[in-house]
Amino acid sequence: MSFQRFVALGDSFTEGVGDPAPELPNGVRGWADRVAAELSRLDPASEYANLAIRGRKLGPIVAEQIDAAIALRPDLVSIYAGANDILRLSVDLDALLDEYDAAIARLTQSGATVVMFTAHDPGDWPLFSALRGRFAIYNEGVRGIADRHGATIVDFWRIPDYRDRRLWAFDRLHMSSIGHQRMAIAVLEALGIDHALTPMELPAPTTPSTVEQLSDNLAWASGFAAPWLGRRLRGTSSGDGLAPRYPTPTPLP
C-alpha cells in the first residue's frame, strides 16, 4: 500500500512534542514526520502536511483543521484529538465523542484512509491516574467511531511498550524520541505498510535512590506540573501563538 499525500491533524501528540529537533519547524520532529519520511522513501513523489498544534482541544481541532485537511485532498489522514479535553476539570464525554464522530465521518467521506488513536493508559502516572476511568470510556468511544466509519485504529492503550518510562519525555505527558519512533512503527504496521524503521535503542535501566527520585519529582513538579496547572487555571495553552509545522503539502527526504 502506498499514499501520495499524508495530512496529520491533532495536538501535541501529532505535532511531535517530546521529540526535540531545533532545526525543524516548532523545534520538534515526532512520529508523523517519521511516518512521512518512510512514505517518501517508498514513493519519492509523496507529500506531507502537519496541521497539529500543541494544547488544542477537540473543538478547535475540528474548527481549524478538518476543512483545511480536506481542502488539501489527502489520501491518508491521521487524527488524535480529545485528550486535552479529558485533562480539564470537567468534560461531557458523550458530547465530545459525538463531535469526534461527526468529524471522522467528514474525513472518511472525503475518500481518505483515516488513522485514529486511543489514548495511553495513565494509570502509572500519579497526576493523571485519577482520570483513568475517563480515558477508558473515551477510548471505547473512539474504537466505536473507528468501527462505524472504517477508520484504522492504533490502540495506544494496548501497546505494552509504553509501560516503560524510557519511552516518555521529562514531562511524563509526551512521548520521548524513542516513544515517537515506536509510534511511527505502530502506525505503519496498522496500515500494513512495509517499512525500514526499527525501535531505537533504550538507555540502560537505572534504579534511582530515594533522594534521586525525590529530586526528579521536584524538578518535574516545578518544571512541568506547576506551569501546566497554571495554564489550565488561566485558560491559556502552550500552543498559543504557534502555527502549524507544515501547513501545505511538503516533500520530506
Side-chain angles (χ1 to χ4, degrees):
M1 182 182 293
S2 63
F3 295 98
Q4 292 292 307
R5 182 169 290 174
F6 169 36
V7 178
L9 312 179
D11 54 26
S12 57
F13 172 85
T14 300
E15 186 188 347
V17 175
D19 185 14
E23 74 282 7
L24 295 179
N26 294 0
V28 295
R29 187 182 182 196
W31 67 265
D33 280 29
R34 296 164 188 267
V35 167
E38 191 64 12
L39 294 176
S40 180
R41 184 188 69 81
L42 297 168
D43 180 356
S46 66
E47 296 178 313
Y48 165 59
N50 190 324
L51 309 184
I53 296 179
R54 66 194 70 179
R56 288 294 193 265
K57 295 193 291 184
L58 188 141
I61 289 171
V62 170
E64 299 166 8
Q65 299 178 25
I66 299 294
D67 284 340
I70 293 172
L72 296 177
R73 303 182 67 180
D75 53 2
L76 175 63
V77 176
S78 72
I79 181 167
Y80 180 94
N84 285 315
D85 298 79
I86 296 173
L87 291 173
R88 264 46 182 192
L89 292 176
S90 62
V91 60
D92 184 336
L93 286 174
D94 291 331
L96 185 74
L97 290 166
D98 285 345
E99 185 174 16
Y100 206 2
D101 190 302
I104 299 302
R106 293 177 60 201
L107 290 172
T108 55
Q109 287 164 9
S110 76
T113 295
V114 176
V115 177
M116 301 177 67
F117 303 80
T118 59
H120 174 64
D121 182 352
D124 292 336
W125 302 105
L127 181 63
F128 307 115
S129 60
L131 301 176
R132 192 181 192 197
R134 219 187 249 186
F135 274 102
I137 294 169
Y138 160 82
N139 283 346
E140 196 56 31
V142 167
R143 295 184 189 107
I145 292 169
D147 288 344
R148 280 192 294 280
H149 299 291
T152 297
I153 190 82
V154 177
D155 207 335
F156 195 2
W157 183 281
R158 295 176 179 172
I159 302 177
D161 295 7
Y162 288 95
R163 294 289 184 190
D164 191 324
R165 296 197 177 192
R166 291 173 292 181
L167 273 67
W168 295 90
F170 162 78
D171 62 18
R172 307 178 186 178
L173 183 63
H174 299 103
M175 297 178 292
S176 65
S177 298
I178 296 172
H180 277 281
Q181 177 84 349
R182 177 66 183 86
M183 186 56 64
I185 292 170
V187 171
L188 290 164
E189 290 180 348
L191 289 168
I193 295 174
D194 291 332
H195 62 86
L197 296 186
T198 57
M200 295 171 67
E201 184 176 354
L202 291 169
T206 60
T207 305
S209 67
T210 301
V211 172
E212 289 170 331
Q213 290 183 51
L214 178 60
S215 176
D216 182 59
N217 287 336
L218 288 173
W220 172 79
S222 61
F224 170 73
W228 181 82
L229 288 169
R231 288 194 300 272
R232 294 298 171 273
L233 294 172
R234 294 191 301 274
T236 60
S237 167
S238 57
D240 290 348
L242 285 181
R245 298 182 59 237
Y246 297 107
T248 57
T250 304
L252 283 187

